[in-house]
Amino acid sequence: MKTSFPSESLLLFIKVILCNKSDYERHEYIMGQIKIEKDAGGIKGLCVIEPTVHGDARGYFMETYNQKDMEEAGLTMHFVQDNQSCSTKGVLRGLHFQKEYPQGKLVRVVKGSVFDVAVDLRSNSETYGKWFGVELTEENKKQFYIPEGFAHGFLVLSDIAEFCYKCTDFYHPGDEGGLAWNDPEIGIAWPRVIGEYKGTASAEGYQLEDGTTLNLSEKDQLWVGLKGTFQF
C-alpha cells in the first residue's frame, strides 16, 4: 500500500493508549468527506476511517467510499470484489487470510455491531504477531482497512450483524489460511468473552457474558497458533 503525507494543516496528533498496552502516536487525516486514523494501534498500514454523516429530520446521507479522498490520504488500493455476510450474536469468524493471493479488506457494519480484529503476519514487520481491534457498529459507521499480510476476524456483539467488505483480490478456493482466534501468544482481548484456553481453537467452554454460546465453524476451530501459522 503506497503512503503519502498531506499538508501539515490537515494533520492532527493525539496521544492515546494502544490495545497491546504500549503508547503510540495517533495520526488523523481529514480528507474531503472522511477522517482517517493511519497506522491504527501503532501497526503500519491499518486504518480506521470515519465518514462524514449528513443528517436531518428525514434521515442521513454519507459517502461509504470515495476513491479521490482515499488517494489523497495515500491509500491507493484497488478493489475487485464486494462481499456481505449476516451473522447472529456470539458468532466469531476468523482469523482468516489468503496465502498466495492475499487480500486487502475495507470492512464495515451496516446492521448491529461487531468487534473487528487484525493480526500482523508480515514476517519483516516490527509489529509481527501484534493485534488491533475496533468496534464497528451501524451507529458509529466506522470502517476498518486491513492491508495484505494480516489475519482478520470478527465477533458479533449484537443479536444480528450485517457485515460488508471490499477486497483487493478475488476469493481463491484452496488458498485459505487461518490463525487460532484464542492463541495466548497473541492475546486478543475479545470483549465479553468468558472461557478458559485449553490448548486449541475449540469454542467449547466459551461464552459471552450474557450466556450466549460462542459459535465458530468447524474449520475455524482447527487453526493453529502464531508459531505454526503461515507468514507473509
Side-chain angles (χ1 to χ4, degrees):
M1 179 181 67
K2 183 179 178 182
T3 302
S4 60
F5 293 92
S7 64
E8 291 183 2
S9 63
L10 295 174
L11 182 59
L12 303 173
F13 294 96
I14 306 173
K15 193 71 172 179
V16 298
I17 301 299
L18 172 61
C19 62
N20 289 301
K21 298 183 180 180
S22 60
D23 293 344
Y24 73 97
E25 286 279 324
R26 184 165 125 189
H27 300 168
E28 289 188 345
Y29 302 82
I30 298 174
M31 295 291 175
Q33 296 293 304
I34 57 176
K35 179 173 71 175
I36 300 181
E37 177 192 346
K38 284 187 144 184
D39 300 338
I43 301 176
K44 186 175 181 180
L46 295 181
C47 297
V48 176
I49 301 163
E50 296 184 52
T52 299
V53 180
H54 305 275
D56 57 27
R58 299 168 300 167
Y60 73 88
F61 170 84
M62 67 178 184
E63 294 182 356
T64 60
Y65 179 74
N66 184 305
Q67 182 176 342
K68 180 180 178 182
D69 288 350
M70 297 289 272
E71 289 180 348
E72 287 182 357
L75 304 178
T76 58
M77 59 280 193
H78 174 65
F79 297 112
V80 299
Q81 181 174 323
D82 281 20
N83 300 327
Q84 182 165 338
S85 68
C86 181
S87 306
T88 56
K89 189 174 188 177
V91 167
L92 196 156
R93 298 183 184 268
L95 300 160
H96 301 150
F97 53 86
Q98 290 191 161
K99 295 174 285 187
E100 301 302 321
Y101 300 92
Q103 295 173 307
K105 297 178 180 179
L106 179 63
V107 306
R108 65 189 180 98
V109 165
V110 296
K111 182 178 182 179
S113 62
V114 310
F115 185 68
D116 201 80
V117 171
V119 179
D120 192 351
L121 295 182
R122 300 169 297 183
S123 59
N124 62 348
S125 171
E126 294 181 356
T127 52
Y128 174 79
K130 301 296 183 183
W131 68 277
F132 176 78
V134 58
E135 187 170 351
L136 307 176
T137 76
E138 61 180 300
E139 289 82 18
N140 68 28
K141 296 178 174 52
K142 290 181 179 180
Q143 301 181 23
F144 187 26
Y145 180 66
I146 306 111
E148 296 87 345
F150 286 78
H152 168 258
F154 64 88
L155 169 67
V156 178
L157 302 175
S158 53
D159 290 337
I160 294 287
E162 293 185 13
F163 187 83
C164 298
Y165 56 107
K166 306 174 79 68
C167 301
T168 60
D169 205 338
F170 299 102
Y171 170 67
H172 291 266
D175 190 42
E176 288 183 303
L179 178 66
W181 66 277
N182 59 347
D183 182 7
E185 184 175 356
I186 301 169
I188 298 171
W190 296 100
R192 309 180 197 174
V193 173
I194 301 171
E196 181 180 350
Y197 178 69
K198 298 179 180 179
T200 73
S202 171
E204 183 178 359
Y206 286 95
Q207 62 182 22
L208 301 188
E209 292 173 340
D210 65 0
T212 302
T213 301
L214 201 63
N215 187 359
L216 279 79
S217 70
E218 291 184 7
K219 180 176 63 178
D220 285 347
Q221 296 182 72
L222 297 176
W223 300 125
V224 298
L226 187 66
K227 291 181 179 178
T229 199
F230 180 85
Q231 295 182 359
F232 288 93

